[in-house]
């Protein structure tokens, strides 16, 4: 019998195995390297609001994301705030809404209740939430998260230093109470110059809701289902306090607003109409543009020690009706936005406190120019509260605004205002789907 040598056979087998291993290693390396290239292309639309300067920076962020995700095509819709929300109403109703879009905090309950927003509660487990501002604020009463903070807006007390100096009034500090603010407003009001001590308009954020919360009250219960306008005695105290400003001409009234002062309350500070005003982080940009000599302070505390800073998280949300592939790509974008590279770019906009605590704190620490006490924005976080957010937020405060206006202008008394506003608010709140 002929004997076959084993060596060539063994050698051949080893060669085949090594070849296969080599081939496998090369393929895996190629898969890792070209992971994005091998994924199926997907197209998403990102919609946001911003001014022209901010759009340049936002587009840089989006372009950097695209560079790292070659398989994701991104269409951008960038508009002003009003156009953004007008577009959302039409596009979402028609089923053609963007994949990822900006949404202000008070609107989250409404859009989530309507089934428009993707529930992100499971996805955010990939994120260390304690490293960011705003996640506690965007949770709903059940603890679910439908939004990712993009930037934070928090109210502080702005004040015109030139007006304070001219009236020889000491600048506000952390010890100021609402009574101190009233007494200062009296001294700072100069009708001959059409100068008012304080801006307390008929407005949920700039006016009455902030004051009610300072007084330790609220106009809606914690579950956001029941109006407390008539039942909470602190609501009455707050409105009696506001009425003194209107009656004494310490703030622009309805008649003043019919003239050149106008109803654009957010411009009163930069136009040097008021000496003090409660407003958010972004308002610095307008004041700087107008060359205002100003600073900021922590909101005055109520006589019983309550403080409140109106807090709104500008957030990214995902369209629940987008395809799975689009939502996955949209989530990649949101996660990229929370990364250090994008957060540093976002912080440079100065339109809001960026979500990353570290980046935001570094940005404020390195700030130069007005306001001198910019750290007040971060200090005020401990007093942050929402604006009575609910699924019918826009409707409930819109229903009571004209009633409050009638009270502030003297057409009805406080009892009539409280009972009528309470009824109007409750009628709206009862519309929420159970």
């Amino acid at each position: 019998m002929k004997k076959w040598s084993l060596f060539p056979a063994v050698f051949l087998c080893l060669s085949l195995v090594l070849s296969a291993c080599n081939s496998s290693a090369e393929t895996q390396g190629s898969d890792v390297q070209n992971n994005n290239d091998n994924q199926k292309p997907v197209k998403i639309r990102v919609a946001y609001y911003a001014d022209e300067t901010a759009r340049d920076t936002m587009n840089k962020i989006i372009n950097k994301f695209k560079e790292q995700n070659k398989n994701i095509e991104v269409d951008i819709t960038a508009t002003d705030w009003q156009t953004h929300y007008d577009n959302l109403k039409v596009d979402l109703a028609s089923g053609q809404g963007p994949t990822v879009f900006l949404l202000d905090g008070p609107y989250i309950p409404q859009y989530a209740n309507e089934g428009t927003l993707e529930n992100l509660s499971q996805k955010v487990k990939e994120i260390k939430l304690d490293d960011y501002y705003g996640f506690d604020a965007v949770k709903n009463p059940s603890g679910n998260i439908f939004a990712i903070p993009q930037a934070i807006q928090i109210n502080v007390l702005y004040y015109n230093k030139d007006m304070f100096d001219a009236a020889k009034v000491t600048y506000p500090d952390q010890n100021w109470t609402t009574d101190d603010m009233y007494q200062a407003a009296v001294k700072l009001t100069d009708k001959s110059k059409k100068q008012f001590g304080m801006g307390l308009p008929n407005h949920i954020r700039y006016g009455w809701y902030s004051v009610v919360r300072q007084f330790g009250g609220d106009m809606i219960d914690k579950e956001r289902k029941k109006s407390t306008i008539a039942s909470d005695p602190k609501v009455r105290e707050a409105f009696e306090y506001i009425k003194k400003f209107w009656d004494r001409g310490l703030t622009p009234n309805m008649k003043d607003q019919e003239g050149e002062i106008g109803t654009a309350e957010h411009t009163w500070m930069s136009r040097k109409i008021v000496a003090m005003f409660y407003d958010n982080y972004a308002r610095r940009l307008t004041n700087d543009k107008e060359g205002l000599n100003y600073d900021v302070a922590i909101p005055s505390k109520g006589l019983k020690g309550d403080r409140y800073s109106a807090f709104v998280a500008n957030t990214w949300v995902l369209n629940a009706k987008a395809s799975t592939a689009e939502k996955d790509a949209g989530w990649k974008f949101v996660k990229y936005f929370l990364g250090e590279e994008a957060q540093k770019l976002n912080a440079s906009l100065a339109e809001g406190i960026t979500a990353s605590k570290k980046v935001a704190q570094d940005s404020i620490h390195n700030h130069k120019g007005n306001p001198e006490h910019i750290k007040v924005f971060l200090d005020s976080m401990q007093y942050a509260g929402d604006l009575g957010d609910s699924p019918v937020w826009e409707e409930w405060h819109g229903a009571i605004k004209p009633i409050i206006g009638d009270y502030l202008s003297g057409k009805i008394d406080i009892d009539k205002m409280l009972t009528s506003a309470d009824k109007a608010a409750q009628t709206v709140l009862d519309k929420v789907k159970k």
Side-chain angles (χ1 to χ4, degrees), residues 79 121 139 145 148 172 192 227 231 273 327 337 346 350 364 427:
T79 60
S121 300
K139 287 181 182 176
I145 293 177
I148 304 298
S192 66
S227 170
S231 59
I273 291 169
K327 284 187 283 193
F337 195 92
N346 194 47
I364 283 181
T427 299

Side-chain angles (χ1 to χ4, degrees), residues 105-389:
Y107 294 106
I108 295 172
Q110 173 193 334
Y111 282 67
N113 197 56
E114 292 170 351
T116 302
L117 307 184
E118 182 77 358
N119 189 333
L120 304 175
S121 300
Q122 291 301 314
K123 289 186 179 296
V124 297
K125 291 180 179 179
E126 303 171 17
I127 299 167
K128 190 176 179 182
L129 303 188
D130 289 343
D131 289 346
Y132 300 92
Y133 291 118
F135 274 103
D136 286 339
V138 299
K139 287 181 182 176
N140 71 6
S142 300
N144 289 314
I145 293 177
F146 290 87
I148 304 298
Q150 177 261 341
I152 305 302
Q153 302 294 346
I154 189 160
N155 273 23
V156 297
L157 180 63
Y158 280 81
Y159 60 95
N160 185 313
K161 294 171 71 174
D162 289 340
M163 290 181 181
F164 270 74
D165 293 343
K168 295 181 170 56
V169 177
T170 304
Y171 297 155
D173 59 28
Q174 71 273 13
N175 297 315
W176 258 37
T177 66
T178 48
D179 185 58
D180 292 320
M181 189 172 72
Y182 176 79
Q183 297 301 331
V186 172
K187 297 174 183 176
L188 289 160
T189 297
D190 188 337
K191 295 181 180 178
S192 66
K193 297 179 180 178
K194 293 184 179 180
Q195 174 182 306
F196 300 86
M198 179 69 190
L200 278 179
N202 180 16
H203 192 278
I204 184 170
R205 181 170 190 169
Y206 308 133
W208 35 267
Y209 190 78
S210 291
V211 177
V212 168
R213 294 294 296 272
Q214 279 180 305
F215 273 66
D218 206 338
M219 303 173 76
I220 185 172
D221 70 356
K222 290 181 179 179
E223 289 71 35
R224 304 316 193 201
K225 295 179 180 179
K226 184 175 175 57
S227 170
T228 56
I229 295 172
S231 59
D232 188 341
K234 293 176 182 177
V235 175
R236 174 185 285 268
E237 291 177 27
F239 275 101
E240 288 175 338
Y241 170 81
I242 296 170
K243 188 71 157 55
K244 291 194 301 181
F245 284 80
W246 283 66
D247 288 347
R248 290 196 61 175
L250 308 181
T251 189
N253 60 29
M254 298 297 186
K255 187 175 181 181
D256 295 321
Q257 293 175 50
E258 290 174 358
E260 62 185 79
I261 291 174
T263 57
E265 303 98 340
H266 62 281
T267 69
W268 289 353
M269 190 79 195
S270 59
R271 290 164 58 205
K272 302 179 183 179
I273 291 169
V274 299
M276 297 180 285
F277 196 70
Y278 285 123
D279 213 334
N280 62 33
Y281 188 83
R283 201 63 62 207
R284 299 164 34 256
L285 302 180
T286 308
N287 292 341
D288 289 344
K289 184 177 180 181
E290 297 300 326
L292 197 71
N293 183 20
Y294 73 99
D295 208 343
V296 293
I298 287 178
S300 304
K301 58 186 175 182
L303 296 179
K304 295 182 180 179
D306 294 289
R307 290 192 195 274
Y308 166 78
S309 291
F311 180 99
V312 172
N314 308 133
T315 67
W316 291 114
V317 295
L318 294 184
N319 187 341
K321 296 177 182 177
S323 70
T324 300
E326 290 169 340
K327 284 187 283 193
D328 287 345
W331 176 245
K332 281 187 178 180
F333 169 74
V334 172
K335 280 186 67 178
Y336 170 77
F337 195 92
L338 290 177
E340 187 172 7
E341 180 178 62
Q343 285 293 294
K344 284 182 177 179
L345 279 169
N346 194 47
S348 71
L349 292 175
E351 286 199 328
I353 300 170
T354 200
S356 166
K357 291 179 180 178
K358 180 183 182 302
V359 174
Q361 290 164 7
D362 288 347
S363 176
I364 283 181
H365 176 75
N366 296 325
H367 171 80
K368 291 180 175 59
N370 284 336
E372 178 184 351
H373 296 98
I374 192 170
K375 189 174 176 290
V376 160
F377 287 101
L378 294 184
D379 295 339
S380 296
M381 290 283 194
Q382 61 186 303
Y383 310 115
D386 67 24
L387 287 167
D389 302 356

